[in-house]
């Protein structure tokens, strides 16, 4: 019987990374670029000069790239999701009803 050689995927369970962007930030950048292309098409169809359209889209694209890379470097792979989730945790839990605690029995 001949021996088989199998390649081992050592990148398993690692997040996707592309040119320094990690995980979900790749999708944010892709969505932003699609939005910029749609913006360019709308401005071009309206009749704005093409050089002005290109200039505005280039400036907006530069800010988009800078902002997404800043988010990726600041929060990392899961940090922004953790920050958004932390906002939904209440600061205090208030209970004005006594009937929640009436049925609790102490263990001896």
């Amino acid at each position: 019987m001949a021996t088989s050689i199998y390649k081992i995927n050592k990148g398993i369970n690692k997040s996707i990374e592309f040119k320094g962007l990690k995980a979900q930030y790749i999708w944010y950048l892709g969505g932003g670029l699609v939005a910029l292309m749609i913006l360019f098409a709308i401005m071009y169809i309206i009749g704005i000069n093409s050089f002005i359209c290109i200039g505005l889209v280039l400036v907006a694209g530069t800010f988009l790239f800078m902002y997404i890379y800043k988010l990726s470097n600041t929060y990392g792979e899961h940090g922004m999701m953790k920050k958004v989730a932390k906002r939904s945790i209440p600061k205090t839990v208030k209970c004005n009803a006594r009937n929640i605690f009436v049925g609790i029995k102490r263990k001896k």
Side-chain angles (χ1 to χ4, degrees):
M1 186 184 264
T3 60
S4 299
I5 298 173
Y6 295 102
K7 279 182 125 181
I8 297 173
N9 184 4
K10 297 189 181 201
I12 202 160
N13 287 337
K14 286 179 82 178
S15 65
I16 303 169
E17 187 172 343
F18 178 74
K19 304 249 184 198
L21 286 178
K22 298 174 191 92
Q24 75 270 19
Y25 302 105
I26 298 170
W27 297 107
Y28 296 158
L29 185 62
L33 291 176
V34 168
L36 285 176
M37 286 193 299
I38 292 171
L39 176 70
F40 175 79
I42 290 171
M43 288 190 304
Y44 188 77
I45 290 171
I46 288 174
I48 298 174
N49 188 358
S50 61
F51 291 115
I52 294 172
C53 294
I54 292 171
L56 286 174
V57 168
L58 284 177
V59 169
T62 302
F63 284 120
L64 175 73
F65 268 82
M66 289 171 43
Y67 184 68
I68 297 294
Y69 270 96
K70 181 184 145 206
L71 286 176
S72 179
N73 291 333
T74 302
Y75 296 116
E77 183 178 346
H78 302 293
M80 196 164 93
M81 289 187 287
K82 288 180 184 177
K83 184 176 181 182
V84 171
K86 193 173 186 179
R87 279 192 217 152
S88 65
I89 298 173
K91 302 274 187 249
T92 58
V93 178
K94 294 182 181 180
C95 179
N96 295 327
R98 183 176 173 261
N99 57 1
I100 294 174
F101 302 104
V102 170
I104 298 175
K105 295 183 180 180
R106 288 191 201 177
K107 292 183 180 182
K108 293 182 182 182

